[in-house]
Amino acid sequence: GAGGGTAADAPASEPKPKAKPAEPEEVATEAEEVVEEEGPKPDAKKGVVAGKVIDADTKEEIIDAQCTVVGTKLTGVTDAEGVFNLKLDPGTYTLRCFFEGYKTARVDNVTVAAGKKVSLKVTLQVDEKKKEQDEVVVEVDPDRSTAATQFTLRKNSAAVSDAVSSQDIAKTPDRNAAEASRRVVGVTVVGGRFVFVRGLGDRYTNSLLNGTPLPSPEPDLNAIPLDIFPVAVISDVTVLKTFTPDMPADFAGGSVRVQTKSFPSEFFANLSTTMGFNTLTTFRPRYTYTGSSNDWLASDGGARRIPKVIASAEKLEGTPEEMETYGESLSQKGRKIYTTPTGPNYSAALTMGDTKNVLGNPLGWVLALNYGRRWLRRSETQAAYNLQDPYFSFDGDRSTEVTSLGGLGTLGYQLGKNHRLVFTGLYSATADDEVLQFEGLEQDDRTTQRVRRARWVQRSLMFGQLIGEHRFPALGGAFAKWNVFTGTAKRGEPNNTQSVYQLGADGKYGAVNDDGFSHFYSQQKETLRGVGLDWTQPIGKGFDPKNPEDGPKLKLGGLFTGKDRTFDARRFRYQRLRTPGVVEWLQTPPEDALNDDSIGKFAVIEENTRSTDSYKANQQVYAGYLMVDLPVTKSFRVIGGERVEHTSFNVITRDDLQVGSPEIRGGFKKTDLLPGVNAVYKLLDNMNARFAASQTVARPQFREVAPFVYADFFNAALVYGNEKLQRSLITNLDLRWEWFPSADEVVAASVFYKYFRDPIESALVQATGQFARTFQNAESARNLGVEIEGRKRLTPVTSRWGVFTLLGNFTLIDSKVQLNPDQANKVTTTERPLQGQAPYVFNLALDWMHEKARTKARISYNVAGRRIDAMGTRPNATQALPDIYELPRHQVDIAVSHTVTKTIDVKLAVENVLNSPYRFQQGKEGDTPSDSNVKFPATTSEWRTGQTFWLSLIYSL
């Protein structure tokens, strides 16, 4: 549907937001004594007060109420069952319990004895006077920002899910949604930005903002970089691992949902500044060149822009004088590379929000602004091999500068108790400025070459979303949610400049002909638009008379999303002229070679734009679904239905520089029936057994279908699309046992099976004598996996040493690809796992929090098993390109946060403590033929990024 969540997310009354412990009217009360068996145990020195806080009228438990010990700083907060626990020294105490909208209750003469437990039931009375004057109540759906609410949502969710709430995040040193996602069991965060689930890559993960798809500012990836969402604006981050028909179906690993705050319970504002020190880069020289005056704003100011005289010409043709003018108009600044000192990384962020009564109704707003710059210089290796010889083998240096800025704002208005409108706007801009200097062997010419590249890539994302939520008590509590959204993602690569020199017989380096001096320009724009509607209709009463939301529900809805992309690129190079002195000129250093004196005399510009350098693409997905949430018994619940998605996917390529050029069309039209069934059996009140069966899809990216050929700056290879590529269908089966010992603990074990029909894989090929990558569909693949995951407190919340919490998951996957006979004859390895699938994933983290010391810390560890980065193929009967593997990499991160005062926090983080290398290898043991000049496995890529130390200062009002 509109992606508004599973059936468990729909209509529920929102708990009233927690207030500051001000001075509400206080009522002395005598608490009723009850029996409580769970919780911390008394010992020889201390006793325990175990209490339950309930509403005096409804007798329902109150979640997140606070009970303080008068005269001390000790406070207990009620969990999802309304229970709090306090471990105290022997003595007589007075307790004060409060929650927004209620009169504060004072319980006198609570006597605690060593080795004894005192059990209380405290009733709170609604403060009618305060309610009339001050209360801001949001009634449409639950407040998702508390740990207790997330516990309830997760326990009652229709799908297998795990989440981290803003209340949980506040206890950690996390700075953005990507870092917070690491606390979701079963999740791996790649590159500090992208979330992968169960070892599957971005192709099998979708990301939603408030239930709505986003256009990616990384147009070649399906994933959304979650580091663009600061933690202060996040209500929760939830990962769903199984499918229900009310969800967009383009995932198999997981669906990542970022919910932003709409109605803050109170005014907040904080300003954070961060400085970073990288052991390989900071205070060391790095390579750069002169860019534009606007580089610090993540946008080229025009210095790299294609000259108007060339942009206005459909193709560069003309007299020698005109060609000389064209050649002199291109900027050569990217060839003049020099070193400069590198300062520390830095960033700053401002976030604030509040909720006010406007015209008698709540108006909530949240605003976040962020800006940052970071640098990295590293040494690396890039190579590729066939079974006999290397295609190329280079070693060199890469210097990168990344600039980012962004803003996010929400504005919500509550229309009475049952209707709400929320608008969310997002802007994100990033720019990568890279300088690459490599030297090594190039196979075609059997020569040693020196390659210099200067590349600027800027990306931007603008997104707007309007959501309406409505409850209709007259229709049995029916709930409707609709959304309208639009967004634009842009990617520009102006004046990617390359200089290639080769070693001559005279021992001197000279520019190679054709591509010795080249320029590349590209511009890409992608727009997203959509509208969705979900309707939830209660159709009966449940087994719990106290919970009107417990009954059966019918849910139906639809979602339309449309994407349109335009892409244009132009290529230019300088061809040498056969004039006296040209040989000596070719040996001129790149920074001095091209100028007004040499262009027209020794070299002439030539346009070598290819016929596939321009394409248009569009995708429309029309989806509708019908599902039922049926409690069969008090303990057994079935959620099932069917989703229909019709996809029209088109990529059209035409040579715009050639009149009458025929179109190259790629894409498909498919209508997919996507059933989903989830069954939940409640073994205990806090323990479930789950079964899920579904079918989902994975669609290719536009660039994977477009025949456009581009040089991958990352792995030094050509990449081109495949116009015959098709979407994949995935059958998913899950069996899971889960136990929730408390509101912030979960222990689970799962077995899952996935069958992929037409899975999309990255493949190595030999294109016109050059090493290249492309994409193709295998016939099928299957994954069989087991997963053990959990989040468990190791010490009681009253421990004098602080609270230790262990988080972890281990996933083991057996994967196998099935190839058709034609494919089997063209690949190097026929018995292999699915490309991109890791055989195992292990995440482990230890959290520590000490309330009295006001300090929090976390140490985390992650590793994924060896996975195929690109599958090898056989260009002919005598040659073969072995598979390329990404090897395991051990990542350890440490973060510590300390509250200095009520308004100042300091955070220290160390990323990549082990400084393990990124390493890719081609081939495996036994691949080396007797006549080979290469010994396999052979390293194709390797680099280290160093350790980065981050120091943050956060000031909060």
Side-chain angles (χ1 to χ4, degrees), residues 166 169-170 172 174-176 229-234 261 264 266-274 347-354 365-371 901-907 952-957:
S166 63
I169 296 170
T172 72
D174 298 339
R175 300 188 302 265
N176 55 58
F229 301 105
V231 296
V233 303
I234 297 171
K261 294 177 181 177
E266 58 190 39
F267 174 76
F268 73 92
N270 64 64
L271 175 66
S272 65
T273 59
T274 301
S347 65
L350 172 67
T351 55
M352 59 178 62
D354 197 8
W365 62 274
V366 175
L367 177 66
L369 303 172
N370 62 83
Y371 176 79
T901 69
K902 290 182 178 180
T903 59
I904 298 177
D905 287 83
V906 176
K907 297 182 179 181
S952 302
L953 180 66
I954 302 97
Y955 176 73
S956 304
L957 295 180

Side-chain angles (χ1 to χ4, degrees), residues 269-339:
N270 64 64
L271 175 66
S272 65
T273 59
T274 301
M275 301 290 286
F277 173 88
N278 181 269
T279 55
L280 295 182
T281 309
T282 307
F283 304 132
R284 298 188 180 190
R286 74 178 193 282
Y287 290 102
T288 188
Y289 62 97
T290 302
S292 81
S293 59
N294 278 18
D295 287 0
W296 67 279
L297 292 174
S299 177
D300 174 62
R304 303 175 181 86
R305 187 179 305 151
I306 191 168
K308 290 182 180 180
V309 66
I310 292 181
S312 61
E314 291 187 358
K315 189 170 185 178
L316 292 194
E317 295 176 333
T319 65
E321 292 76 15
E322 290 174 327
M323 297 304 291
E324 182 176 347
T325 300
Y326 289 143
E328 292 172 353
S329 68
L330 289 181
S331 171
Q332 307 298 332
K333 289 182 179 180
R335 303 191 196 280
K336 299 176 182 180
I337 296 172
Y338 58 90
T339 60

Side-chain angles (χ1 to χ4, degrees), residues 547-606:
N547 185 6
E549 310 296 344
D550 188 49
K553 306 176 192 69
L554 188 68
K555 191 172 183 181
L556 68 158
L559 174 68
F560 164 76
T561 57
K563 290 195 296 186
D564 294 276
R565 176 185 290 187
T566 58
F567 177 88
D568 292 286
R570 295 186 74 173
R571 306 170 194 262
F572 308 96
R573 61 189 180 187
Y574 289 87
Q575 295 280 37
R576 69 185 180 190
L577 296 173
R578 297 184 179 277
T579 57
V582 69
V583 174
E584 292 76 11
W585 171 79
L586 287 173
Q587 295 174 351
T588 304
E591 60 269 22
D592 300 323
L594 294 173
N595 50 52
D596 290 354
D597 293 332
S598 61
I599 296 172
K601 180 180 181 181
F602 297 121
V604 62
I605 193 171
E606 174 187 80

